[in-house]
Amino acid sequence: MNVGDLVRITYTATLEKNRYGTGESKIAMIIEGPNEAGKIKLLMSNGKSLWKHTSEVEYMPKDTGYLKE
């Protein structure tokens, strides 16, 4: 995972106060990391940034075919 890559975040098992409904997911861009703890800093589409562990996100493919779906 590199800076600028897109990842999908699913909020079904998190304890964050601003989580989304079950099964919902959001797309975010990596803006920093991964650090020594394996966490990456993500930029959400609404401008918020948050830290997530690399095991909590799904790596999006490089091709743009998923945008057409």
Side-chain angles (χ1 to χ4, degrees), residues 1-3 30-36 38-41 51 54:
M1 294 186 175
N2 298 318
V3 173
I30 300 173
I31 57 174
E32 189 178 328
N35 61 12
E36 300 84 20
K39 292 194 171 194
I40 52 177
K41 190 171 190 178
W51 288 91
T54 53

Side-chain angles (χ1 to χ4, degrees), residues 18-54:
N18 56 352
R19 67 179 172 189
Y20 301 99
T22 56
E24 285 190 44
S25 63
K26 295 288 182 178
I27 305 296
M29 183 176 69
I30 300 173
I31 57 174
E32 189 178 328
N35 61 12
E36 300 84 20
K39 292 194 171 194
I40 52 177
K41 190 171 190 178
L42 302 171
L43 178 65
M44 304 295 290
S45 61
N46 60 4
K48 293 183 181 180
S49 62
L50 56 111
W51 288 91
K52 286 284 189 184
H53 194 269
T54 53

Side-chain angles (χ1 to χ4, degrees), residues 48-66:
K48 293 183 181 180
S49 62
L50 56 111
W51 288 91
K52 286 284 189 184
H53 194 269
T54 53
S55 64
E56 296 178 307
V57 298
E58 177 187 344
Y59 186 71
M60 297 293 293
K62 288 279 187 184
D63 64 333
T64 58
Y66 68 91

